[in-house]
Amino acid sequence: MLTLHRVRGVRLVPDGEPAAGHAVLVDGGRIAAIGPYEELLAAYSDRARVREWDGVLTPGRAEPDGAALLEAVYHPDPREAGELGSEPIGGAALAALDMTEARWGASARRGLQRLLALGTTALTGPFTRPAVRTAVQRSGLAEVPGGRPRALTVGGAADFAVFAEDGSCLVTVLAGRLVHRRR
């Protein structure tokens, strides 16, 4: 199904100027078109659903410290909040925890959820822990060297985020799928 993402503007590269009034048309996991919203709506209104976001659509954030955030820090389960708190744990406090592969995998999934909520669409590895590597592969986040997200291009992967005026992430999309939406 085609989805037309209507936003305040589209930024093709992370630090580029947003093109006001533009929109992005997604077909499956790929970007099918980028251009003025009115033109895309006229061409695809009978086949596309429209999602409206009050922000600027960009390639999203790239996390250059992905391996450190997921393999050297524990992201507590909400059920552990009373004992461990809700903030990530590293250093000596991490060494005191019994970290099995299963626990590393669960921590990585929670850490990935935090990254998606920040508009992260790419991260840098390598990931040496098998459970963490599996969690990253299943998340759909692109693993890129140097921590630079791909530019938005027609035919390219539909990996992007929409950011509000205050810089907070409204929505994160990976391979055309909505993977985070601010409540």
Side-chain angles (χ1 to χ4, degrees):
M1 171 176 233
L2 296 173
T3 303
L4 183 58
H5 293 271
R6 181 181 191 182
V7 290
R8 288 185 177 200
V10 174
R11 197 176 267 138
L12 298 178
V13 294
D15 51 358
E17 284 298 315
H22 275 53
V24 172
L25 181 72
V26 173
D27 185 2
R30 297 275 170 212
I31 295 175
I34 302 171
Y37 170 74
E38 298 301 333
E39 290 177 19
L40 293 176
L41 182 64
Y44 297 99
S45 65
D46 60 333
R47 296 178 283 159
R49 69 177 168 194
V50 177
R51 292 196 181 255
E52 296 192 32
W53 312 108
D54 190 20
V56 175
L57 189 147
T58 77
R61 286 184 66 250
E63 180 50 68
D65 297 321
L69 287 171
L70 300 176
E71 293 193 333
V73 176
Y74 177 68
H75 299 272
D77 186 300
R79 295 170 292 191
E80 299 172 312
E83 176 188 348
L84 300 176
S86 60
E87 293 303 309
I89 299 169
L94 174 64
L97 297 176
D98 178 28
M99 293 303 294
T100 63
E101 273 301 298
R103 197 168 189 189
W104 273 117
S107 170
R109 289 188 295 278
R110 290 187 294 273
L112 289 163
Q113 289 170 350
R114 286 178 182 237
L115 290 172
L116 292 171
L118 294 173
T120 303
T121 57
L123 69 168
T124 301
F127 300 96
T128 58
R129 294 185 189 279
V132 173
R133 187 172 44 250
T134 299
V136 170
Q137 289 168 345
R138 289 181 179 171
S139 74
L141 282 165
E143 189 177 336
V144 293
R148 296 280 305 161
R150 302 176 201 132
L152 297 179
T153 59
V154 174
D159 295 346
F160 54 83
V162 179
F163 293 95
E165 203 170 307
D166 66 2
S168 63
C169 179
L170 300 173
V171 63
T172 306
V173 174
L174 297 177
R177 291 184 12 242
L178 206 65
V179 294
H180 165 76
R181 182 178 191 173
R182 186 170 77 182
R183 296 175 190 204

